[in-house]
Amino acid sequence: MGTEIYYFSGTGNSLVVARDMARKIGGELIPIASMVDKEVIKTDADIIGIVFPTYYEPYGGVPLIVRKFARKLEDMDSKYIFAICTYGSASVKALNCLDNIIKSRGGKISAGFTVNMPNNMAGAKINNVQKQQQMFRVWEENMESIYEHVNVRKEGRFDIPNVLVGRTYVLLKIIVNPIISLFKPMTLRHLKRYSDSRDGSYEELLQFMDRSFYTNDKCAGCGNCAKICPVKNIEMVEEQPKWQHRCEFCLACFHWCPKEAICSSELEGTVRYHHPDVKVSDMILKD
Ligand SMILES: Cc1cc2nc3c(=O)[nH]c(=O)nc-3n(C[C@H](O)[C@H](O)[C@H](O)COP(=O)(O)O)c2cc1C
């Protein structure tokens, strides 16, 4: 019995959402990164929350690590599962994509919510500080309604208001949904840039995105990036980060570097960002 909230987060948006919900509901907060290497994931909790960022919508929008986690869930049939997906511009497929994986494990996402947060990808340029503040405010104002849904075990899909496009978001989703897969070849080209494989799957290719990272001369060899990487993809060699090609491309190393010394050829001009209510120590997994 009880409530468990599992989360994955690169820059803190999904962590804040998961943490706020755990406090409100009185549930246990568990990093997905601490579970994903287990062979199977079973729990006695009867309410399960899964909070994650949207990644690469044309490929379904669910980060690799969250897919791996969901594929290991067992005995899900009698649970009330809710999922909250944070996103930068639009999250159209992610909840259904995760639902399909959980259905293959015998459960289902009973209630799904999307929350607009600052975009930590290249598009971060479109979120000025004022817009960011507005997004945080909208989250705080709507948290209660998610809680109320979960409390009475309500079912369905619910969008927290989108700060960037307002009421037209619903319309945008309807229009974008059927055509989003058309953007797959573009995303594939972007992923293939860093892999030697000519026909690797999305999952294989993503891991090589770390070849886009490099350090500038501000790197002091502090090792913050190695500590913060949720999948332990960075080893420090002669006080320099070396990426090990099992990358999630969560951008934690890029955004949290205290010297702004980690760069990526995919993120030229992107302003470093992390959620203001999250500290480095909140992001580092406890052993
Ligand atoms: C690799 C990657 C892909 C992303 N793809 C999308 C996307 O397809 N649609 C979208 O709206 N936001 C996208 N985003 C933005 C994130 O979903 C958003 O900023 C999220 O709130 C980040 O959460 P976090 O701080 O918990 O990591 C992407 C971010 C990354 C790093």
Side-chain angles (χ1 to χ4, degrees), residues 189-204:
R189 268 202 304 279
H190 154 90
L191 293 167
K192 275 189 173 169
R193 221 172 291 159
Y194 299 97
S195 163
D196 308 325
S197 160
R198 291 197 141 261
D199 46 17
S201 68
Y202 163 69
E203 303 203 358
E204 268 172 22

Side-chain angles (χ1 to χ4, degrees), residues 67-81:
R67 293 173 196 224
K68 286 182 191 156
F69 161 81
R71 285 183 199 132
K72 293 182 176 184
L73 291 170
E74 278 201 356
D75 298 339
M76 290 292 117
D77 49 332
S78 59
K79 319 271 186 200
Y80 175 81
I81 303 177

Side-chain angles (χ1 to χ4, degrees), residues 8-15 53-58 86-91 117-121 249-251:
F8 175 64
S9 182
T11 53
N13 293 343
S14 311
L15 171 55
T54 302
Y55 284 0
Y56 296 123
E57 270 280 315
T86 70
Y87 67 90
S89 38
S91 185
M117 279 279 169
N119 196 326
N120 60 359
M121 244 308 225
F249 212 53
C250 73
L251 311 185

Side-chain angles (χ1 to χ4, degrees), residues 88-148:
S89 38
S91 185
V92 180
K93 284 177 172 276
L95 288 171
N96 285 347
C97 176
L98 183 62
D99 190 34
N100 286 336
I101 300 174
I102 294 180
K103 279 190 178 131
S104 74
R105 309 302 301 156
K108 67 168 184 173
I109 295 182
S110 300
F113 308 87
T114 61
V115 179
N116 191 193
M117 279 279 169
N119 196 326
N120 60 359
M121 244 308 225
K125 288 164 233 161
I126 60 173
N127 303 137
N128 58 33
V129 174
Q130 240 174 345
K131 280 269 183 264
Q132 292 183 7
Q133 295 300 334
Q134 214 179 329
M135 287 171 184
F136 304 147
R137 231 183 3 259
V138 169
W139 160 244
E140 278 163 24
E141 286 162 6
N142 285 276
M143 192 191 343
E144 184 72 28
S145 88
I146 297 190
Y147 169 67
E148 280 163 11

Side-chain angles (χ1 to χ4, degrees), residues 210-211 213-215 219 223 225-226 229 232-246 253 262:
D210 59 9
R211 285 187 176 152
F213 292 121
Y214 60 95
T215 49
C219 179
C225 49
C229 175
K232 305 269 171 276
N233 183 39
I234 299 177
E235 282 176 18
M236 295 303 286
V237 179
E238 293 172 0
E239 300 194 337
Q240 288 290 303
K242 295 276 175 270
W243 287 266
Q244 303 297 312
H245 312 316
R246 44 174 190 271
C253 55
I262 292 180

Side-chain angles (χ1 to χ4, degrees), residues 165-183:
V165 292
R167 283 170 198 264
T168 51
Y169 183 62
V170 180
L171 192 66
L172 183 86
K173 275 183 72 167
I174 294 169
I175 297 168
V176 167
N177 198 7
I179 60 167
I180 202 150
S181 302
L182 299 177
F183 293 96

Side-chain angles (χ1 to χ4, degrees), residues 119-125 254-255 266-272:
N119 196 326
N120 60 359
M121 244 308 225
K125 288 164 233 161
F254 172 85
H255 285 291
E266 287 299 299
L267 302 168
E268 303 296 354
T270 296
V271 178
R272 302 297 192 292

